[in-house]
Amino acid sequence: MSSEHIALNSVTTEAQIADRYRKAALECFTQWKSQHIDIYGYNTAQNALDINDLRKHLKADKVSLWGISYGSHLALSAIKAMPAHLDKVIIASAEGLNQTVKLPHQTDQYFEKVQGIINQQALKQQVSDLPALMRRVHSKLEQQPIALQITQKDGSKTPMLFQKHHIQSLASMMIADPNQYLAMLIHVYLGLDNGNTELLKHILQRGMFTDEPITFKLMPLAMDVASGITAKRLAKVTTQSPTALLGDKLNFPMPTLHLIDKKLDLGDDFRTAPLSSIPTLLFTGSLDGRTYPEEQLEAVRGFTNLTQIMVNNAGHNLYTSSPLVLARMQTFLSGKPVSAEAIQLPLPKLALSAP
């Protein structure tokens, strides 16, 4: 825990938020070092070496990997670190070694995909242009933040000045899977566009924003800073963020914390995409709101023995989305040929209902 905090009841600029998160991260690193914790051992390259050490402990010549999201990031690192000792690899919602920070314009394209789903449902009568709706709400919040009273679990009320960066952060937390919170998020935007804050207050009661000191956990903080971002990709993010729907919020506090401790950074050699002939099975959700399909293909572009299966209408957390996913995995692990035919899920229901 740091001594830095973001006040809920006053206007806070993006620059102030970034500065406080940097100070908070440095303060936490200092605290951990004072406790004799080696923060430089908490990274994906070391995690990959741990996999190899576990393989040796089990006296196995080869192991197979199965991971999703960060698990795929780790698997890609392991492919570079121990290729001779990997039998098969199954990954889903792949996050490339240079994709810790997502490209803001790809998030914009995601919302355009969502509009395509909306257009197939009755909701299109209310939401004819989701990106335009979002930008309209953002503009209103920039001009006039909304004063709210948030009811806490103990019944007390906490004042909050709800601003553009709050709704962007909220959206970033809610878009990973289309069947989870996406309909609720759309309803929040519709409500705010019409001056209704009831659903928003209901969501904020879950404590997504607090006036408490900024806190970090060592592993996710050090790991993200270590995986980092190349200068070329950072330039893209910096260029795209000011005009993107969610700005740089999808991976906040990265890239704000990039190179905050240069010794942590694993360097561009780590971030180079692996080359591999290891049998690999990749599942990709067509409506993944965190690791976008185009980026997933980029992450495995150097794979010569890859089978990619698109799970249409699935989001980020897709392993349990259909029995066919498990069936294809079992076939793959048994060494039999696996169908690359897309798995079709129903359209997500984006009908809106009050809580």
Side-chain angles (χ1 to χ4, degrees), residues 175-207:
I175 63 173
D177 292 292
N179 287 307
Q180 201 165 17
Y181 301 116
L182 188 55
M184 190 177 290
L185 177 66
I186 296 170
H187 203 182
V188 166
Y189 272 100
L190 275 173
L192 290 176
D193 196 38
N194 292 293
N196 187 329
T197 62
E198 290 307 306
L199 179 58
L200 174 63
K201 288 190 287 187
H202 173 77
I203 293 172
L204 293 177
Q205 288 174 14
R206 302 177 186 184

PDB file of all heavy atoms in Angstrom, residues 175-207:
ATOM      1  N   ILE A 175     -15.653  -5.153 -20.567  1.00  0.00           N
ATOM      2  CA  ILE A 175     -15.829  -5.542 -21.964  1.00  0.00           C
ATOM      3  C   ILE A 175     -15.175  -6.862 -22.349  1.00  0.00           C
ATOM      4  O   ILE A 175     -15.253  -7.262 -23.507  1.00  0.00           O
ATOM      5  CB  ILE A 175     -15.313  -4.442 -22.921  1.00  0.00           C
ATOM      6  CG1 ILE A 175     -13.804  -4.221 -22.746  1.00  0.00           C
ATOM      7  CG2 ILE A 175     -16.097  -3.163 -22.723  1.00  0.00           C
ATOM      8  CD1 ILE A 175     -13.211  -3.273 -23.771  1.00  0.00           C
ATOM      9  N   ALA A 176     -14.544  -7.555 -21.403  1.00  0.00           N
ATOM     10  CA  ALA A 176     -13.817  -8.775 -21.774  1.00  0.00           C
ATOM     11  C   ALA A 176     -14.724  -9.813 -22.417  1.00  0.00           C
ATOM     12  O   ALA A 176     -14.361 -10.444 -23.412  1.00  0.00           O
ATOM     13  CB  ALA A 176     -13.119  -9.368 -20.546  1.00  0.00           C
ATOM     14  N   ASP A 177     -15.914  -9.988 -21.839  1.00  0.00           N
ATOM     15  CA  ASP A 177     -16.831 -11.029 -22.319  1.00  0.00           C
ATOM     16  C   ASP A 177     -18.198 -10.445 -22.619  1.00  0.00           C
ATOM     17  O   ASP A 177     -18.788  -9.789 -21.757  1.00  0.00           O
ATOM     18  CB  ASP A 177     -16.959 -12.143 -21.275  1.00  0.00           C
ATOM     19  CG  ASP A 177     -15.675 -12.929 -21.122  1.00  0.00           C
ATOM     20  OD1 ASP A 177     -15.313 -13.637 -22.069  1.00  0.00           O
ATOM     21  OD2 ASP A 177     -15.030 -12.822 -20.065  1.00  0.00           O
ATOM     22  N   PRO A 178     -18.730 -10.682 -23.814  1.00  0.00           N
ATOM     23  CA  PRO A 178     -19.993 -10.051 -24.206  1.00  0.00           C
ATOM     24  C   PRO A 178     -21.202 -10.520 -23.408  1.00  0.00           C
ATOM     25  O   PRO A 178     -22.206  -9.812 -23.340  1.00  0.00           O
ATOM     26  CB  PRO A 178     -20.139 -10.435 -25.689  1.00  0.00           C
ATOM     27  CG  PRO A 178     -19.326 -11.680 -25.844  1.00  0.00           C
ATOM     28  CD  PRO A 178     -18.175 -11.523 -24.894  1.00  0.00           C
ATOM     29  N   ASN A 179     -21.124 -11.714 -22.798  1.00  0.00           N
ATOM     30  CA  ASN A 179     -22.277 -12.225 -22.060  1.00  0.00           C
ATOM     31  C   ASN A 179     -22.238 -11.881 -20.583  1.00  0.00           C
ATOM     32  O   ASN A 179     -23.112 -12.289 -19.827  1.00  0.00           O
ATOM     33  CB  ASN A 179     -22.369 -13.743 -22.218  1.00  0.00           C
ATOM     34  CG  ASN A 179     -22.833 -14.154 -23.600  1.00  0.00           C
ATOM     35  OD1 ASN A 179     -23.868 -13.687 -24.067  1.00  0.00           O
ATOM     36  ND2 ASN A 179     -22.068 -14.978 -24.279  1.00  0.00           N
ATOM     37  N   GLN A 180     -21.226 -11.125 -20.151  1.00  0.00           N
ATOM     38  CA  GLN A 180     -21.092 -10.867 -18.732  1.00  0.00           C
ATOM     39  C   GLN A 180     -21.645  -9.494 -18.351  1.00  0.00           C
ATOM     40  O   GLN A 180     -22.721  -9.383 -17.775  1.00  0.00           O
ATOM     41  CB  GLN A 180     -19.627 -11.006 -18.317  1.00  0.00           C
ATOM     42  CG  GLN A 180     -19.431 -11.264 -16.837  1.00  0.00           C
ATOM     43  CD  GLN A 180     -18.023 -11.745 -16.511  1.00  0.00           C
ATOM     44  OE1 GLN A 180     -17.097 -11.608 -17.311  1.00  0.00           O
ATOM     45  NE2 GLN A 180     -17.865 -12.307 -15.330  1.00  0.00           N
ATOM     46  N   TYR A 181     -20.917  -8.441 -18.675  1.00  0.00           N
ATOM     47  CA  TYR A 181     -21.328  -7.101 -18.232  1.00  0.00           C
ATOM     48  C   TYR A 181     -21.602  -6.126 -19.371  1.00  0.00           C
ATOM     49  O   TYR A 181     -21.906  -4.962 -19.123  1.00  0.00           O
ATOM     50  CB  TYR A 181     -20.240  -6.502 -17.336  1.00  0.00           C
ATOM     51  CG  TYR A 181     -19.924  -7.319 -16.114  1.00  0.00           C
ATOM     52  CD1 TYR A 181     -18.665  -7.891 -15.938  1.00  0.00           C
ATOM     53  CD2 TYR A 181     -20.882  -7.529 -15.127  1.00  0.00           C
ATOM     54  CE1 TYR A 181     -18.365  -8.643 -14.815  1.00  0.00           C
ATOM     55  CE2 TYR A 181     -20.601  -8.286 -14.000  1.00  0.00           C
ATOM     56  CZ  TYR A 181     -19.335  -8.839 -13.855  1.00  0.00           C
ATOM     57  OH  TYR A 181     -19.046  -9.583 -12.744  1.00  0.00           O
ATOM     58  N   LEU A 182     -21.481  -6.585 -20.613  1.00  0.00           N
ATOM     59  CA  LEU A 182     -21.559  -5.655 -21.731  1.00  0.00           C
ATOM     60  C   LEU A 182     -22.925  -4.979 -21.835  1.00  0.00           C
ATOM     61  O   LEU A 182     -23.017  -3.764 -22.054  1.00  0.00           O
ATOM     62  CB  LEU A 182     -21.221  -6.372 -23.039  1.00  0.00           C
ATOM     63  CG  LEU A 182     -21.085  -5.488 -24.275  1.00  0.00           C
ATOM     64  CD1 LEU A 182     -20.056  -4.383 -24.052  1.00  0.00           C
ATOM     65  CD2 LEU A 182     -20.700  -6.328 -25.489  1.00  0.00           C
ATOM     66  N   ALA A 183     -24.001  -5.753 -21.675  1.00  0.00           N
ATOM     67  CA  ALA A 183     -25.337  -5.152 -21.741  1.00  0.00           C
ATOM     68  C   ALA A 183     -25.509  -4.096 -20.661  1.00  0.00           C
ATOM     69  O   ALA A 183     -26.076  -3.025 -20.883  1.00  0.00           O
ATOM     70  CB  ALA A 183     -26.408  -6.240 -21.602  1.00  0.00           C
ATOM     71  N   MET A 184     -24.989  -4.388 -19.460  1.00  0.00           N
ATOM     72  CA  MET A 184     -25.082  -3.439 -18.359  1.00  0.00           C
ATOM     73  C   MET A 184     -24.303  -2.159 -18.678  1.00  0.00           C
ATOM     74  O   MET A 184     -24.766  -1.045 -18.402  1.00  0.00           O
ATOM     75  CB  MET A 184     -24.541  -4.079 -17.077  1.00  0.00           C
ATOM     76  CG  MET A 184     -24.810  -3.283 -15.820  1.00  0.00           C
ATOM     77  SD  MET A 184     -24.237  -4.134 -14.322  1.00  0.00           S
ATOM     78  CE  MET A 184     -25.419  -5.488 -14.258  1.00  0.00           C
ATOM     79  N   LEU A 185     -23.135  -2.323 -19.304  1.00  0.00           N
ATOM     80  CA  LEU A 185     -22.336  -1.151 -19.657  1.00  0.00           C
ATOM     81  C   LEU A 185     -23.079  -0.269 -20.661  1.00  0.00           C
ATOM     82  O   LEU A 185     -23.112   0.964 -20.524  1.00  0.00           O
ATOM     83  CB  LEU A 185     -20.986  -1.583 -20.239  1.00  0.00           C
ATOM     84  CG  LEU A 185     -20.080  -0.451 -20.717  1.00  0.00           C
ATOM     85  CD1 LEU A 185     -19.632   0.411 -19.546  1.00  0.00           C
ATOM     86  CD2 LEU A 185     -18.878  -1.003 -21.479  1.00  0.00           C
ATOM     87  N   ILE A 186     -23.677  -0.893 -21.665  1.00  0.00           N
ATOM     88  CA  ILE A 186     -24.430  -0.124 -22.659  1.00  0.00           C
ATOM     89  C   ILE A 186     -25.570   0.629 -21.981  1.00  0.00           C
ATOM     90  O   ILE A 186     -25.840   1.800 -22.285  1.00  0.00           O
ATOM     91  CB  ILE A 186     -24.969  -1.053 -23.762  1.00  0.00           C
ATOM     92  CG1 ILE A 186     -23.803  -1.685 -24.540  1.00  0.00           C
ATOM     93  CG2 ILE A 186     -25.877  -0.293 -24.713  1.00  0.00           C
ATOM     94  CD1 ILE A 186     -24.218  -2.791 -25.484  1.00  0.00           C
ATOM     95  N   HIS A 187     -26.222  -0.029 -21.032  1.00  0.00           N
ATOM     96  CA  HIS A 187     -27.326   0.602 -20.311  1.00  0.00           C
ATOM     97  C   HIS A 187     -26.832   1.786 -19.476  1.00  0.00           C
ATOM     98  O   HIS A 187     -27.534   2.806 -19.331  1.00  0.00           O
ATOM     99  CB  HIS A 187     -28.014  -0.433 -19.419  1.00  0.00           C
ATOM    100  CG  HIS A 187     -29.423  -0.083 -19.079  1.00  0.00           C
ATOM    101  ND1 HIS A 187     -30.192  -0.876 -18.255  1.00  0.00           N
ATOM    102  CD2 HIS A 187     -30.201   0.967 -19.422  1.00  0.00           C
ATOM    103  CE1 HIS A 187     -31.380  -0.321 -18.115  1.00  0.00           C
ATOM    104  NE2 HIS A 187     -31.412   0.803 -18.810  1.00  0.00           N
ATOM    105  N   VAL A 188     -25.630   1.662 -18.891  1.00  0.00           N
ATOM    106  CA  VAL A 188     -25.047   2.778 -18.143  1.00  0.00           C
ATOM    107  C   VAL A 188     -24.873   3.989 -19.053  1.00  0.00           C
ATOM    108  O   VAL A 188     -25.233   5.122 -18.693  1.00  0.00           O
ATOM    109  CB  VAL A 188     -23.691   2.371 -17.522  1.00  0.00           C
ATOM    110  CG1 VAL A 188     -22.929   3.610 -17.036  1.00  0.00           C
ATOM    111  CG2 VAL A 188     -23.903   1.410 -16.365  1.00  0.00           C
ATOM    112  N   TYR A 189     -24.334   3.760 -20.245  1.00  0.00           N
ATOM    113  CA  TYR A 189     -24.145   4.866 -21.194  1.00  0.00           C
ATOM    114  C   TYR A 189     -25.485   5.472 -21.605  1.00  0.00           C
ATOM    115  O   TYR A 189     -25.622   6.707 -21.676  1.00  0.00           O
ATOM    116  CB  TYR A 189     -23.376   4.389 -22.426  1.00  0.00           C
ATOM    117  CG  TYR A 189     -21.878   4.491 -22.279  1.00  0.00           C
ATOM    118  CD1 TYR A 189     -21.111   3.386 -21.957  1.00  0.00           C
ATOM    119  CD2 TYR A 189     -21.222   5.709 -22.475  1.00  0.00           C
ATOM    120  CE1 TYR A 189     -19.726   3.481 -21.820  1.00  0.00           C
ATOM    121  CE2 TYR A 189     -19.847   5.821 -22.346  1.00  0.00           C
ATOM    122  CZ  TYR A 189     -19.103   4.702 -22.012  1.00  0.00           C
ATOM    123  OH  TYR A 189     -17.738   4.808 -21.878  1.00  0.00           O
ATOM    124  N   LEU A 190     -26.470   4.621 -21.873  1.00  0.00           N
ATOM    125  CA  LEU A 190     -27.786   5.146 -22.227  1.00  0.00           C
ATOM    126  C   LEU A 190     -28.367   5.987 -21.090  1.00  0.00           C
ATOM    127  O   LEU A 190     -28.941   7.060 -21.318  1.00  0.00           O
ATOM    128  CB  LEU A 190     -28.738   3.990 -22.546  1.00  0.00           C
ATOM    129  CG  LEU A 190     -28.709   3.443 -23.972  1.00  0.00           C
ATOM    130  CD1 LEU A 190     -29.578   2.190 -24.074  1.00  0.00           C
ATOM    131  CD2 LEU A 190     -29.174   4.497 -24.972  1.00  0.00           C
ATOM    132  N   GLY A 191     -28.202   5.483 -19.869  1.00  0.00           N
ATOM    133  CA  GLY A 191     -28.701   6.217 -18.716  1.00  0.00           C
ATOM    134  C   GLY A 191     -28.041   7.584 -18.590  1.00  0.00           C
ATOM    135  O   GLY A 191     -28.722   8.604 -18.418  1.00  0.00           O
ATOM    136  N   LEU A 192     -26.712   7.610 -18.674  1.00  0.00           N
ATOM    137  CA  LEU A 192     -25.992   8.871 -18.533  1.00  0.00           C
ATOM    138  C   LEU A 192     -26.350   9.843 -19.651  1.00  0.00           C
ATOM    139  O   LEU A 192     -26.422  11.064 -19.432  1.00  0.00           O
ATOM    140  CB  LEU A 192     -24.487   8.614 -18.522  1.00  0.00           C
ATOM    141  CG  LEU A 192     -23.940   7.916 -17.276  1.00  0.00           C
ATOM    142  CD1 LEU A 192     -22.457   7.616 -17.427  1.00  0.00           C
ATOM    143  CD2 LEU A 192     -24.190   8.745 -16.028  1.00  0.00           C
ATOM    144  N   ASP A 193     -26.589   9.321 -20.841  1.00  0.00           N
ATOM    145  CA  ASP A 193     -26.965  10.192 -21.958  1.00  0.00           C
ATOM    146  C   ASP A 193     -28.319  10.858 -21.714  1.00  0.00           C
ATOM    147  O   ASP A 193     -28.600  11.930 -22.240  1.00  0.00           O
ATOM    148  CB  ASP A 193     -27.002   9.370 -23.249  1.00  0.00           C
ATOM    149  CG  ASP A 193     -27.001  10.236 -24.500  1.00  0.00           C
ATOM    150  OD1 ASP A 193     -26.303  11.278 -24.503  1.00  0.00           O
ATOM    151  OD2 ASP A 193     -27.696   9.886 -25.470  1.00  0.00           O
ATOM    152  N   ASN A 194     -29.137  10.195 -20.883  1.00  0.00           N
ATOM    153  CA  ASN A 194     -30.476  10.707 -20.596  1.00  0.00           C
ATOM    154  C   ASN A 194     -30.612  11.255 -19.172  1.00  0.00           C
ATOM    155  O   ASN A 194     -31.721  11.462 -18.685  1.00  0.00           O
ATOM    156  CB  ASN A 194     -31.518   9.606 -20.827  1.00  0.00           C
ATOM    157  CG  ASN A 194     -31.640   9.230 -22.293  1.00  0.00           C
ATOM    158  OD1 ASN A 194     -32.092  10.023 -23.109  1.00  0.00           O
ATOM    159  ND2 ASN A 194     -31.227   8.021 -22.640  1.00  0.00           N
ATOM    160  N   GLY A 195     -29.468  11.446 -18.502  1.00  0.00           N
ATOM    161  CA  GLY A 195     -29.500  12.034 -17.169  1.00  0.00           C
ATOM    162  C   GLY A 195     -29.903  11.083 -16.066  1.00  0.00           C
ATOM    163  O   GLY A 195     -30.259  11.526 -14.955  1.00  0.00           O
ATOM    164  N   ASN A 196     -29.860   9.784 -16.313  1.00  0.00           N
ATOM    165  CA  ASN A 196     -30.247   8.774 -15.323  1.00  0.00           C
ATOM    166  C   ASN A 196     -28.995   8.085 -14.789  1.00  0.00           C
ATOM    167  O   ASN A 196     -28.248   7.463 -15.559  1.00  0.00           O
ATOM    168  CB  ASN A 196     -31.196   7.755 -15.962  1.00  0.00           C
ATOM    169  CG  ASN A 196     -31.772   6.778 -14.953  1.00  0.00           C
ATOM    170  OD1 ASN A 196     -31.138   6.444 -13.953  1.00  0.00           O
ATOM    171  ND2 ASN A 196     -32.986   6.307 -15.225  1.00  0.00           N
ATOM    172  N   THR A 197     -28.766   8.154 -13.485  1.00  0.00           N
ATOM    173  CA  THR A 197     -27.560   7.575 -12.886  1.00  0.00           C
ATOM    174  C   THR A 197     -27.843   6.360 -12.005  1.00  0.00           C
ATOM    175  O   THR A 197     -26.947   5.881 -11.315  1.00  0.00           O
ATOM    176  CB  THR A 197     -26.834   8.635 -12.037  1.00  0.00           C
ATOM    177  OG1 THR A 197     -27.698   9.058 -10.969  1.00  0.00           O
ATOM    178  CG2 THR A 197     -26.414   9.831 -12.881  1.00  0.00           C
ATOM    179  N   GLU A 198     -29.065   5.831 -12.012  1.00  0.00           N
ATOM    180  CA  GLU A 198     -29.426   4.764 -11.082  1.00  0.00           C
ATOM    181  C   GLU A 198     -28.597   3.501 -11.281  1.00  0.00           C
ATOM    182  O   GLU A 198     -28.074   2.925 -10.329  1.00  0.00           O
ATOM    183  CB  GLU A 198     -30.926   4.455 -11.187  1.00  0.00           C
ATOM    184  CG  GLU A 198     -31.806   5.560 -10.642  1.00  0.00           C
ATOM    185  CD  GLU A 198     -31.426   5.962  -9.231  1.00  0.00           C
ATOM    186  OE1 GLU A 198     -31.356   5.078  -8.354  1.00  0.00           O
ATOM    187  OE2 GLU A 198     -31.165   7.163  -9.012  1.00  0.00           O
ATOM    188  N   LEU A 199     -28.473   3.035 -12.522  1.00  0.00           N
ATOM    189  CA  LEU A 199     -27.689   1.824 -12.768  1.00  0.00           C
ATOM    190  C   LEU A 199     -26.217   2.071 -12.454  1.00  0.00           C
ATOM    191  O   LEU A 199     -25.540   1.211 -11.887  1.00  0.00           O
ATOM    192  CB  LEU A 199     -27.848   1.358 -14.217  1.00  0.00           C
ATOM    193  CG  LEU A 199     -27.047   0.104 -14.603  1.00  0.00           C
ATOM    194  CD1 LEU A 199     -27.404  -1.077 -13.711  1.00  0.00           C
ATOM    195  CD2 LEU A 199     -27.267  -0.242 -16.071  1.00  0.00           C
ATOM    196  N   LEU A 200     -25.723   3.238 -12.812  1.00  0.00           N
ATOM    197  CA  LEU A 200     -24.335   3.568 -12.515  1.00  0.00           C
ATOM    198  C   LEU A 200     -24.077   3.488 -11.014  1.00  0.00           C
ATOM    199  O   LEU A 200     -23.087   2.872 -10.575  1.00  0.00           O
ATOM    200  CB  LEU A 200     -24.013   4.971 -13.022  1.00  0.00           C
ATOM    201  CG  LEU A 200     -22.624   5.508 -12.642  1.00  0.00           C
ATOM    202  CD1 LEU A 200     -21.527   4.661 -13.257  1.00  0.00           C
ATOM    203  CD2 LEU A 200     -22.486   6.968 -13.067  1.00  0.00           C
ATOM    204  N   LYS A 201     -24.942   4.073 -10.209  1.00  0.00           N
ATOM    205  CA  LYS A 201     -24.754   4.045  -8.756  1.00  0.00           C
ATOM    206  C   LYS A 201     -24.823   2.617  -8.229  1.00  0.00           C
ATOM    207  O   LYS A 201     -24.076   2.250  -7.308  1.00  0.00           O
ATOM    208  CB  LYS A 201     -25.798   4.934  -8.073  1.00  0.00           C
ATOM    209  CG  LYS A 201     -25.542   6.424  -8.290  1.00  0.00           C
ATOM    210  CD  LYS A 201     -26.425   7.291  -7.423  1.00  0.00           C
ATOM    211  CE  LYS A 201     -27.853   7.310  -7.894  1.00  0.00           C
ATOM    212  NZ  LYS A 201     -28.684   8.296  -7.143  1.00  0.00           N
ATOM    213  N   HIS A 202     -25.693   1.810  -8.815  1.00  0.00           N
ATOM    214  CA  HIS A 202     -25.794   0.400  -8.422  1.00  0.00           C
ATOM    215  C   HIS A 202     -24.460  -0.317  -8.660  1.00  0.00           C
ATOM    216  O   HIS A 202     -23.992  -1.084  -7.808  1.00  0.00           O
ATOM    217  CB  HIS A 202     -26.908  -0.279  -9.225  1.00  0.00           C
ATOM    218  CG  HIS A 202     -26.986  -1.758  -9.028  1.00  0.00           C
ATOM    219  ND1 HIS A 202     -27.532  -2.340  -7.910  1.00  0.00           N
ATOM    220  CD2 HIS A 202     -26.564  -2.786  -9.830  1.00  0.00           C
ATOM    221  CE1 HIS A 202     -27.462  -3.658  -8.017  1.00  0.00           C
ATOM    222  NE2 HIS A 202     -26.882  -3.948  -9.172  1.00  0.00           N
ATOM    223  N   ILE A 203     -23.829  -0.052  -9.785  1.00  0.00           N
ATOM    224  CA  ILE A 203     -22.547  -0.685 -10.104  1.00  0.00           C
ATOM    225  C   ILE A 203     -21.442  -0.153  -9.201  1.00  0.00           C
ATOM    226  O   ILE A 203     -20.593  -0.923  -8.713  1.00  0.00           O
ATOM    227  CB  ILE A 203     -22.200  -0.450 -11.592  1.00  0.00           C
ATOM    228  CG1 ILE A 203     -23.188  -1.197 -12.488  1.00  0.00           C
ATOM    229  CG2 ILE A 203     -20.766  -0.890 -11.896  1.00  0.00           C
ATOM    230  CD1 ILE A 203     -23.045  -0.885 -13.957  1.00  0.00           C
ATOM    231  N   LEU A 204     -21.436   1.140  -8.963  1.00  0.00           N
ATOM    232  CA  LEU A 204     -20.370   1.744  -8.157  1.00  0.00           C
ATOM    233  C   LEU A 204     -20.413   1.291  -6.708  1.00  0.00           C
ATOM    234  O   LEU A 204     -19.407   1.372  -5.993  1.00  0.00           O
ATOM    235  CB  LEU A 204     -20.463   3.268  -8.227  1.00  0.00           C
ATOM    236  CG  LEU A 204     -20.171   3.888  -9.601  1.00  0.00           C
ATOM    237  CD1 LEU A 204     -20.358   5.403  -9.550  1.00  0.00           C
ATOM    238  CD2 LEU A 204     -18.756   3.554 -10.058  1.00  0.00           C
ATOM    239  N   GLN A 205     -21.561   0.783  -6.242  1.00  0.00           N
ATOM    240  CA  GLN A 205     -21.654   0.254  -4.884  1.00  0.00           C
ATOM    241  C   GLN A 205     -20.740  -0.955  -4.672  1.00  0.00           C
ATOM    242  O   GLN A 205     -20.443  -1.324  -3.548  1.00  0.00           O
ATOM    243  CB  GLN A 205     -23.097  -0.146  -4.573  1.00  0.00           C
ATOM    244  CG  GLN A 205     -24.039   1.029  -4.385  1.00  0.00           C
ATOM    245  CD  GLN A 205     -25.484   0.589  -4.216  1.00  0.00           C
ATOM    246  OE1 GLN A 205     -25.772  -0.580  -3.993  1.00  0.00           O
ATOM    247  NE2 GLN A 205     -26.400   1.543  -4.326  1.00  0.00           N
ATOM    248  N   ARG A 206     -20.275  -1.550  -5.774  1.00  0.00           N
ATOM    249  CA  ARG A 206     -19.386  -2.711  -5.666  1.00  0.00           C
ATOM    250  C   ARG A 206     -17.959  -2.306  -5.317  1.00  0.00           C
ATOM    251  O   ARG A 206     -17.085  -3.159  -5.190  1.00  0.00           O
ATOM    252  CB  ARG A 206     -19.404  -3.489  -6.985  1.00  0.00           C
ATOM    253  CG  ARG A 206     -20.803  -3.953  -7.384  1.00  0.00           C
ATOM    254  CD  ARG A 206     -20.810  -4.655  -8.727  1.00  0.00           C
ATOM    255  NE  ARG A 206     -22.162  -4.971  -9.161  1.00  0.00           N
ATOM    256  CZ  ARG A 206     -22.459  -5.647 -10.259  1.00  0.00           C
ATOM    257  NH1 ARG A 206     -21.491  -6.069 -11.052  1.00  0.00           N
ATOM    258  NH2 ARG A 206     -23.715  -5.885 -10.591  1.00  0.00           N
ATOM    259  N   GLY A 207     -17.712  -1.019  -5.190  1.00  0.00           N
ATOM    260  CA  GLY A 207     -16.405  -0.572  -4.738  1.00  0.00           C
ATOM    261  C   GLY A 207     -15.338  -0.530  -5.806  1.00  0.00           C
ATOM    262  O   GLY A 207     -14.149  -0.701  -5.513  1.00  0.00           O
TER     263      GLY A 207
END
